[in-house]
């Protein structure tokens, strides 16, 4: 396979992967979109952060993050807390319900990946993991310039 054909195949397959991921997110938890799941995961990993930090991290428009945060608050999955160092700042944190649902969805996703990859040889799994890490680590000439602006979720 020539390089241009390989790049086209990669683009097509990654698009298919993204579509499948979005579709499966709704099946795992009806109120938890892929974007919401990702935001909850980031809040858990970071121990909480501001909405503007989420927007910057994921290169999303502030209004998009605001809508997502509002929906997560209404679902009682996150809450705002005053920053102890700067009382003007509100920090988003997972609620106990948010933690529980995130853990359930994460385990369901892990199970689905394990099932899908169960027959792959260890060497293929390791190589695939390395390639994904390398692909996702690339920041391009200017951070985030490798993709068009994200569409609103």
């Amino acid at each position: 396979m020539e390089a241009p054909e390989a790049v086209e195949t990669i683009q097509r397959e990654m698009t298919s992967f993204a579509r499948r991921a979005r579709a499966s997110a709704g099946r795992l938890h009806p109120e938890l979109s892929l974007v919401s799941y990702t935001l909850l995961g980031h809040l858990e990993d970071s121990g909480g952060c501001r909405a503007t930090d989420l927007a910057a991290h994921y290169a999303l428009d502030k209004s998009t993050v605001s809508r997502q945060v509002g929906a997560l608050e209404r679902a009682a999955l996150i809450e705002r807390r005053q920053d102890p160092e700067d009382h003007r700042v509100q920090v988003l944190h997972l609620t106990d319900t948010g933690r529980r649902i995130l853990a359930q969805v994460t385990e369901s996703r892990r199970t689905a990946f394990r099932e899908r990859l169960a027959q792959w040889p260890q060497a293929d799994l390791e190589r695939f993991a390395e390639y994904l890490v390398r692909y996702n680590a690339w920041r391009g000439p200017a951070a985030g310039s490798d993709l068009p602006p994200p569409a609103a979720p």
Side-chain angles (χ1 to χ4, degrees):
M1 180 182 305
E2 297 291 322
E5 184 182 352
V7 169
E8 184 61 31
T9 298
I10 290 167
Q11 184 275 326
R12 183 181 62 246
E13 293 302 316
M14 290 188 75
T15 299
S16 176
F17 176 84
R19 285 186 183 133
R20 236 184 353 270
R22 279 190 201 99
S24 70
R27 289 191 303 272
L28 294 172
H29 192 278
E31 294 91 38
L32 200 60
S33 71
L34 184 60
V35 172
S36 294
Y37 173 78
T38 303
L39 297 180
L40 289 177
H42 186 82
L43 290 174
E44 180 178 60
D45 292 344
S46 67
C49 68
R50 300 172 305 163
T52 55
D53 297 330
L54 288 172
H57 182 78
Y58 290 107
L60 293 171
D61 184 79
K62 289 178 186 178
S63 65
T64 298
V65 171
S66 179
R67 283 191 302 276
Q68 293 292 327
V69 164
L72 292 170
E73 282 182 303
R74 285 189 297 280
L77 302 179
I78 65 171
E79 62 187 2
R80 293 175 191 263
R81 296 184 201 153
Q82 196 173 55
D83 186 328
E85 295 178 16
D86 184 348
H87 296 299
R88 298 169 297 167
V89 175
Q90 297 287 308
V91 179
L92 304 172
H93 291 275
L94 291 177
T95 62
D96 289 340
T97 301
R99 248 183 226 89
R100 183 179 46 77
I101 289 174
L102 179 63
Q104 290 171 350
V105 173
T106 298
E107 188 52 39
S108 295
R109 291 175 59 87
R110 283 185 183 134
T111 299
F113 274 104
R114 283 186 201 112
E115 289 172 0
R116 189 173 193 104
L117 300 169
Q119 301 304 312
W120 285 37
Q122 182 67 27
D124 286 356
L125 289 171
E126 290 172 8
R127 195 169 23 258
F128 188 49
E130 289 170 10
Y131 290 158
L132 286 171
V133 168
R134 188 166 109 198
Y135 179 83
N136 286 321
W138 188 73
R139 296 293 174 233
S145 67
D146 58 322
L147 297 174

